[in-house]
Amino acid sequence: MPTFYGTEVTSRLMLGTAQYPSPAILAEAFRLSGAGIATVSVRREAGGDQTGQDFWALIRDLGVAVLPNTAGCYSAREAVTTAQMARELFDTNWIKLEVIGHADTLQPDLFGLVEAAAQLAEDGFEVFPYCTEDLVLCERLVEIGCKVLMPWGAPIGTGLGLNNIYGLRSLRAHFPDIPLVVDAGLGLPSHAAQAMEMGYDAVLLNTAVAKAGNPVAMARAFALAVEAGALAAGADPMDARDMAAPSTPVFGKAIL
Amino acid sequence: MSDLFTIIGGGVCGLAMAAELSSRGAHVMVIDPKGAPGDHACSWWAGGMLAPDCEGVSAEPEIVRQGGKAASWWESHGGIVHHAGTIVVALNRDQSDLATFARRAPTATSLSKTQIAEHEPHLAERFSKALFLADEGHLDPRATLTALHARLDQKGVRFGGDIKGQVIDCRGLAARDTLTDLRGVKGEMLVVRCPDVTLSRPVRLLHPRFPLYIVPRGDDVFMLGATQIETSERGRATLRSVMELMNAAYALHPAFGEAELLEIGVDARPAFPDNQPRIRRIGDVIYANGLFRHGFLLAPALAQMTADLLLKGKIPEVWYEDHRER
């Protein structure tokens, strides 16, 4: 199982906690999928006086590692403040760092991300940056001190799957020792399996489960796909080839 | 069983409870800090949509079933229900959300541009596809609560006094002092006046992050709702939330850009972890709570079940026993 900042997690499946029909269904999705990490947003829920604590208590009751995030933050400063609040609320140095650059597409602001990651790393945070598959950006994040990278599969909430296979493969090849998590854009379990087959360490998703007609069944489906993909990655898959290869020689035919 | 009841809380839950019990011949008193319905109750800020089929897209089937009785209950207790259905639309790039909604709302029928124009001419200026849920209705929450309060007063329900008989706690989120698993889900809403747009029924605009409903209140007034944020905060509408609601309304029809802003409302809905209502007993007190975003839709069923319990000894479907306390 992957190790994030020295902590080995219990599952390669990480789930967000937003948009479920109810907290009860959310809890059941976690239970049946065995997801090892719950991400939770604190920006909007904090209210004027940390009035979101009822919901946060429900998240703590899930019994999994909590990875607070800075969803909804549009500047480095806002993200840093939110991270500091999250550290107090959840008593963890982990922070999933999201700096949103575009309100409509929720595309990350990569410049703000680097700025905030640097400040947070200096302040002792263990940063999980939500980034793109851009190699130069990822190198910069690692230089700053990020020991996990979370490139997107596709923009948040689209369910398009892995949009840039080449870029994600390059990233894996370039950072063999950094835990890599595909975060955002997954729509189907097969997308998750594909990420795992490519050697990624984990996947993080929310909408695909929360907005499914049956979130509990979909969470379980993702868990199985993640397990299948990880098993496959460790089983040294065959390489694809252009020609069909008969397993027994064909007599009397020319070799084409 | 006693036929003397004291109901704590005069929001939609408490008043529906009082109406149901008194219509069955019980003596009822309602205790509410302000006496008459007002902005201290979260139902004051409600949309007033009686839309079980739309809600069924994300809520449990029980909610659809129990909510199906709401319209006739309100009418039999003096409420004015508009039976005009619900229209659901999505912007061009969110058409996949409309397809999902159609699949999950079996009673929804598709409307062409011409059919939209027959129902809502102004909407046809913007949308060429829509869904129609013909059996749904809506009411005006404030008018309904105020009228019900007056009607109960006339029928001899007492408002205020010393607690007597069986106590039924209908305080909504305020009951969190006893119901520890009750949480608040914050909602922000707007009331605007917009003479340039005419709508005859609630319209829902689907969006992956900023879904909106607009309910016509008559006299060019519309209610725009509502955010849904996991916090118990009962005040402090944020600029972002208000902006999102306005933006969605503007996307629905640009004429809303010229609307007059009459009101910004905010409160928190009382909800249990499964977002379904519960009836339970703690000590001698009966608690009816957890109506979440379904106050006007489910208060009638909750009141009927509570009355069946107290007058007939029938265990309600939503009866809750806390197994941890055993």
Side-chain angles (χ1 to χ4, degrees), chain B:
Chain B
M1 290 275 176
S2 162
D3 64 349
L4 186 62
F5 299 98
T6 299
I7 294 166
I8 317 281
V12 68
C13 183
L15 291 185
M17 196 69 74
E20 181 66 25
L21 285 166
S22 74
S23 75
R24 298 195 195 187
H27 297 284
V28 180
M29 181 168 67
V30 178
I31 295 179
D32 183 276
K34 300 246 172 98
D39 61 9
H40 60 297
C42 111
S43 40
W44 193 252
W45 306 103
M49 290 175 294
L50 305 176
D53 297 331
C54 280
E55 291 302 311
V57 168
S58 58
E60 303 287 338
E62 288 81 3
I63 289 182
V64 181
R65 191 167 43 78
Q66 288 162 357
K69 315 166 189 166
S72 62
W73 189 94
W74 283 110
E75 283 174 329
S76 69
H77 290 85
I80 299 168
V81 177
H82 306 277
H83 294 274
T86 306
I87 284 187
V88 183
V89 292
L91 301 175
N92 270 340
R93 61 172 201 186
D94 300 325
Q95 287 301 308
S96 64
D97 287 341
L98 200 64
T100 307
F101 194 99
R103 204 167 61 239
R104 293 178 187 172
T107 60
T109 54
S110 292
L111 297 184
S112 66
K113 194 176 180 74
T114 319
Q115 290 168 314
I116 298 173
E118 287 163 11
H119 288 88
E120 299 289 2
H122 285 165
L123 217 52
E125 295 166 7
R126 301 282 297 164
F127 296 91
S128 53
K129 274 172 75 177
L131 297 172
F132 185 47
L133 295 101
D135 297 334
E136 300 192 327
H138 68 282
L139 49 73
D140 180 338
R142 296 177 186 179
T144 305
L145 291 176
T146 305
L148 184 57
H149 176 262
R151 182 182 157 101
L152 292 172
D153 197 29
Q154 263 178 15
K155 292 192 175 223
V157 169
R158 286 184 52 203
F159 286 87
D162 296 328
I163 291 177
K164 284 184 200 138
Q166 172 67 56
V167 175
I168 308 169
D169 187 314
C170 300
R171 285 181 296 149
L173 196 55
R176 214 155 46 118
D177 53 11
T178 313
L179 304 172
T180 51
D181 50 358
L182 197 65
R183 76 187 198 286
V185 181
K186 181 176 170 181
E188 291 139 304
M189 57 80 93
L190 305 174
V191 181
V192 303
R193 177 174 285 119
C194 186
D196 299 336
V197 178
T198 304
L199 295 175
S200 314
R201 52 181 61 72
V203 175
R204 294 187 182 218
L205 176 68
L206 304 180
H207 188 280
R209 294 193 303 285
F210 317 127
L212 171 82
Y213 59 76
I214 294 191
V215 190
R217 293 274 188 256
D219 295 329
D220 303 326
V221 173
F222 299 87
M223 183 267 191
L224 280 53
T227 57
Q228 198 163 304
I229 303 171
E230 284 288 349
T231 166
S232 302
E233 190 171 52
R234 300 192 64 176
R236 210 183 64 94
T238 65
L239 194 138
R240 176 180 297 177
S241 294
V242 171
M243 187 182 68
E244 285 168 5
L245 290 171
M246 290 176 171
N247 216 10
Y250 186 69
L252 187 82
H253 201 295
F256 278 111
E258 292 302 316
E260 177 190 357
L261 185 55
L262 299 177
E263 224 178 305
I264 297 174
V266 55
D267 208 332
R269 316 161 177 96
F272 290 111
D274 60 0
N275 289 349
Q276 296 192 66
R278 290 176 186 169
I279 301 167
R280 62 180 297 190
R281 180 191 293 278
I282 299 176
D284 293 330
V285 178
I286 294 289
Y287 290 81
N289 213 319
L291 287 170
F292 184 43
R293 52 181 278 162
H294 304 121
F296 285 86
L297 186 65
L298 294 187
L302 199 64
Q304 285 172 330
M305 285 187 275
T306 310
D308 283 347
L309 169 74
L310 294 171
L311 301 174
K312 298 181 187 166
K314 185 180 166 198
I315 299 296
E317 269 179 63
V318 297
W319 185 243
Y320 180 78
E321 290 189 42
D322 192 342
H323 300 284
R324 290 169 304 182
E325 287 174 6
R326 285 183 167 180

Side-chain angles (χ1 to χ4, degrees), chain A residues 127-193:
Chain A
V127 179
F128 294 60
Y130 165 60
C131 53
T132 65
E133 71 282 9
D134 187 278
L135 194 55
V136 180
L137 165 75
C138 287
E139 277 182 330
R140 189 67 59 85
L141 289 167
V142 171
E143 271 170 36
I144 285 168
C146 294
K147 293 186 167 58
V148 181
L149 293 171
M150 305 222 288
W152 64 0
I156 294 175
T158 56
L160 290 171
L162 308 183
N163 252 359
N164 181 358
I165 298 282
Y166 165 77
L168 290 169
R169 262 192 221 291
S170 308
L171 210 59
R172 180 71 286 178
H174 198 79
F175 295 107
D177 301 322
I178 299 267
L180 296 181
V181 182
V182 168
D183 177 7
L186 303 186
L188 289 168
S190 53
H191 301 150

Side-chain angles (χ1 to χ4, degrees), chain A residues 11-210:
Chain A
S11 163
R12 296 178 186 276
L13 179 63
M14 304 159 65
L15 288 178
T17 55
Q19 304 184 64
Y20 287 77
S22 71
I25 290 173
L26 159 71
E28 191 65 1
F30 269 84
R31 201 177 64 78
L32 275 186
S33 67
I37 291 183
T39 61
V40 58
S41 73
V42 293
R43 178 79 180 100
R44 288 187 94 173
E45 288 74 7
D49 192 22
Q50 301 190 353
T51 35
Q53 45 196 308
D54 293 339
F55 184 68
W56 297 328
L58 291 166
I59 301 298
R60 288 192 201 95
D61 285 349
L62 295 173
V64 302
V66 175
L67 174 60
N69 71 34
T70 62
C73 292
Y74 285 81
S75 69
R77 192 176 59 83
E78 210 180 342
V80 168
T81 310
T82 304
Q84 284 161 346
M85 190 170 70
R87 174 152 72 179
E88 276 178 38
L89 285 171
F90 290 99
D91 194 26
T92 175
N93 285 325
W94 283 9
I95 187 75
K96 181 191 156 185
L97 183 60
E98 265 185 67
V99 183
I100 298 304
H102 200 278
D104 195 29
T105 63
L106 298 185
Q107 194 144 341
D109 172 353
L110 306 178
F111 306 94
L113 179 70
V114 170
E115 187 188 337
Q119 285 184 41
L120 290 171
E122 195 154 302
D123 196 14
F125 280 92
E126 296 170 335
V127 179
F128 294 60
Y130 165 60
C131 53
T132 65
E133 71 282 9
D134 187 278
L135 194 55
V136 180
L137 165 75
C138 287
E139 277 182 330
R140 189 67 59 85
L141 289 167
V142 171
E143 271 170 36
I144 285 168
C146 294
K147 293 186 167 58
V148 181
L149 293 171
M150 305 222 288
W152 64 0
I156 294 175
T158 56
L160 290 171
L162 308 183
N163 252 359
N164 181 358
I165 298 282
Y166 165 77
L168 290 169
R169 262 192 221 291
S170 308
L171 210 59
R172 180 71 286 178
H174 198 79
F175 295 107
D177 301 322
I178 299 267
L180 296 181
V181 182
V182 168
D183 177 7
L186 303 186
L188 289 168
S190 53
H191 301 150
Q194 191 184 15
M196 303 312 297
E197 287 162 10
M198 286 163 56
Y200 272 70
D201 295 277
V203 295
L204 168 51
L205 56 129
N206 189 343
T207 312
V209 167

